[in-house]
Amino acid sequence: MKTQTRAVVIGGGIAGCSTLYHLTREGWTDVVLVERDEITSGTTWHSAAQVTNFGMTQTMVGLKSHSIRLYKELAEDPEHPITYHHADGGIRLANDPRVMDGYRHFASMAKGMGVDFEVIDAAECARRHPLISTDNLIGGLWDPLDGDIDPAGLCHALLRRARADGAEVYRQTPVTGLTQHRDDSWTVHTPRGDIRTEVIVNACGYRVNELGAMMGVEHPVASMEHQYFITEPFAELQEMDERVPLLRCPISDFYSRQEKKGLLIGFYEQECRTWGMDGIDPAFSSALCPDDVDRVLPVLENVFERMPVLQDVGIKSIVNGPITYTMDGAPLVGPIPGKRNAFCIIGLRAGLGEGGGHGWLLAQQIVHGEAELDTWVIDPRRFGPHANVELTALKAIEDYQNEFRFHFPHEHRPAGRPMRTTPLTAVLAAEGADFGMVDGWERIAYIRPGPDFIETHGYRFKETFDVVADEVRAVHEGVGLTEVNGFTRFEITGGGAADWLDAMTCGRIPRRAGRVGLAYLLNHHGCIKSEATLACLPDGRIWYGAAAAAERHDMDWLTRHMPDDGSVRLRNLTRSHTILLLAGPRARAVLQEVARGDWSAEAFPWLSVREGHIGHAPATIMAVSYSGESAFELHIPNESLAQAWQSLRAAGAARGMRLFGSYAVESMRLEKSYRHWKADLVTEFDPFESGLGRFVDMRKDFLGKAALEARAPQRAFVTLLLEADHAPAQGGASIRVGGDVVGTVTSAGWGHRTGRNIAMGFVRPELAGVGSALSVDVTGAPVAATVTDPCLFDPENLRVRA
């Protein structure tokens, strides 16, 4: 066995096999996979092994498409073919018009990735799958490339190719310990000897936290028992010349696919059960959980209603095995938070179907530092420290119970809530706040106009439209107040802090105490990594502010590039402070009443920062705006938050102060074409493509400059006006010229001050000129759209300067 290698992949299921194979494809051939038992002896061996193109983001569609192409290539290898039922087709059923709107949107989104879905009615569903009933059915989403694959054959085919390129595989080699060295390399300890390696990869499936404990981390992954039945052969299938399509039914909580001349039927029962929470028997390998037929009987009744033919078909075998879930159902693929040279590819509840793509994107991150697609949707750092196994188990149960029911826009399901709160959460709830979630934080979405008000979720404008319009009007004409919790906040100090930040960002940074500026950090490929607000405080302190979800991501990036001479120090204040946001033309008057000193526009202009007090609560006050109105961020220590709130409410009462939420902020920022990190700002585009050239200073040196100089723009960021009033566009929707897809929407919504339906996104550069006539898919149908000036509201920024 090797004693030194470049990367050790730990785990021999689809995750590990795919990663090893793709590392060799990316040029790393001195790599090793170790498996505690036999290849595919974890979840992989009993997988239902469905291979679909369906995904709720373009990244997910892209990685699944890669899986399908790779699996087809492996299956067609003349020397070592594997069993892959490619392009049987698959249908996702629906009995709700809102779900059909969602399917239309997903079809539009997938089209931008070169994938063709089809939205079909109930009659067509039955024509394509003659075993189903159309009772209580509206239609479905058709995936022509849906299929299933042999799990063991797939994994061994990947390993065969990896070995041919120089990789080595060690079975019956459990990892007993991990040691990280001062140079960030690792030693992997096994009974067969130690391996020194640059990089380790946790691909341990349901044993993920056994390995995590060896490096002092807990991954938010929990396992669920999952049962499927395989039926006896039956005449209706035996008489068919073609295989029946795969079926996924959110109405009745089951899926099915053909298995020889019978069906494999999987259940997502409401009385589901977690597994392995108190530890896993070391001998549990190539094993199953005890059958529990009673638990799935209610779902089985639903199956009989959808496929009556099965009422007279016998059950050949039952499989009940563990599958892994994460906090939001998407896997964790990428750098392990807080660790160097450590990666994971875990929580793959649909591992066989999409594992080829996950390994592809992970290998690119390991070898090149970034993948060709933005991978935030699967990044392990997208969760904050609140994401423990106990909370993950609650969310896993909720996801399992809603397996094929995708989240509607603005839908935040209740399991585990509240997760992260501030001293004001209960106060805001008493004032009528309805909350969404941002990185687990309960954040105001809007203020309910009455106790019985309910928001129904969907893809069209709904009950909150007028509520948000009123909140925007109140901010625009008077003064509004809201809490913005959880924002990433680092304090950077040291004699080298300013120069270091200057080299980390592509534009000019504020150097003078009392000033604030917006900065962009690029990766080594010259594309956007992070967005930060930099505020220069007294005594040389610099506050670095970023999106709430960016905490672990940005901490990793900054600490990785910090000098080791002690000239820069970083302190995390994210959970010690909360922002109260005061906005509107009367905001300055309210601030003047609650804070000592001169807060006039002359003494405290736009992009200023000052330390002071709100009442007697200490505060760091910034004159910045994400709404386009005169606005002030009040950064308050959490122990003083209630007092500051009371002072502001008292001062605002005489000025007609209204509370507002994130829906109103979203409407206003679209009218200013302000970007949102990981919606409009992604690693696939550089700052020039993103329309942020004014924040780039090519006269100075900065991280990513050489790569940026070598890039040629492939896309251009635009703001669009849509000729539709029934619904907004959605992120991922296709932008078209005629029938050709020429771009993708990144953000969209209604601008209540301008009275326009707005979308932002990336298009081909030649189509980015103001006045260009395009179309945008809205609930699946193209609507006319025109490229407009990038700022629709107050382009001269007169209001923010007031």
Side-chain angles (χ1 to χ4, degrees), residues 608-690:
S608 295
V609 59
R610 184 191 300 177
E611 292 182 318
H613 291 82
I614 303 299
H616 62 76
T620 301
I621 303 167
M622 300 183 195
V624 294
S625 177
Y626 197 49
S627 62
E629 302 289 347
S630 177
F632 304 93
E633 287 184 0
L634 316 175
H635 297 248
I636 313 291
N638 283 333
E639 65 267 23
S640 303
L641 195 60
Q643 198 285 318
W645 180 265
Q646 290 172 0
S647 296
L648 290 165
R649 292 294 275 154
R655 293 173 174 83
M657 177 186 284
R658 287 274 302 275
L659 302 186
F660 66 102
S662 60
Y663 289 7
V665 174
E666 180 73 1
S667 170
M668 291 185 282
R669 72 100 178 170
L670 288 169
E671 293 173 310
K672 296 291 289 182
S673 293
Y674 289 160
R675 317 298 197 264
H676 192 290
W677 186 69
K678 290 307 178 188
D680 314 298
L681 302 171
V682 295
T683 57
E684 295 170 34
F685 303 109
D686 64 45
F688 295 115
E689 291 174 303
S690 302

Side-chain angles (χ1 to χ4, degrees), residues 24 35 137 179 272 298 513 523 678 706 744 752 758:
T24 65
E35 160 57 41
L137 185 65
T179 301
C272 53
N523 60 27
K678 290 307 178 188
T744 300
H752 287 282
I758 304 167

Side-chain angles (χ1 to χ4, degrees), residues 619-795:
T620 301
I621 303 167
M622 300 183 195
V624 294
S625 177
Y626 197 49
S627 62
E629 302 289 347
S630 177
F632 304 93
E633 287 184 0
L634 316 175
H635 297 248
I636 313 291
N638 283 333
E639 65 267 23
S640 303
L641 195 60
Q643 198 285 318
W645 180 265
Q646 290 172 0
S647 296
L648 290 165
R649 292 294 275 154
R655 293 173 174 83
M657 177 186 284
R658 287 274 302 275
L659 302 186
F660 66 102
S662 60
Y663 289 7
V665 174
E666 180 73 1
S667 170
M668 291 185 282
R669 72 100 178 170
L670 288 169
E671 293 173 310
K672 296 291 289 182
S673 293
Y674 289 160
R675 317 298 197 264
H676 192 290
W677 186 69
K678 290 307 178 188
D680 314 298
L681 302 171
V682 295
T683 57
E684 295 170 34
F685 303 109
D686 64 45
F688 295 115
E689 291 174 303
S690 302
L692 299 171
R694 66 191 182 279
F695 294 99
V696 181
D697 183 358
M698 297 300 288
R699 296 169 298 179
K700 73 169 199 174
D701 290 327
F702 55 85
L703 194 158
K705 179 180 177 180
L708 181 60
E709 289 176 323
R711 286 179 60 87
Q714 302 298 312
R715 285 289 187 267
F717 192 81
V718 295
T719 301
L720 300 161
L721 294 178
L722 278 55
E723 300 301 322
D725 58 10
H726 67 290
Q730 299 291 331
S734 288
I735 304 171
R736 302 175 186 258
V737 170
D740 296 331
V741 177
V742 297
T744 300
V745 170
T746 55
S747 293
W750 190 268
H752 287 282
R753 291 174 300 193
T754 56
R756 299 305 302 265
N757 198 347
I758 304 167
M760 302 194 300
F762 289 92
V763 298
R764 295 176 188 167
E766 67 272 16
L767 300 171
V770 173
S772 293
L774 308 171
S775 67
V776 171
D777 290 351
V778 177
T779 59
V783 302
T786 306
V787 178
T788 186
D789 290 318
C791 182
L792 293 167
F793 177 79
D794 188 24

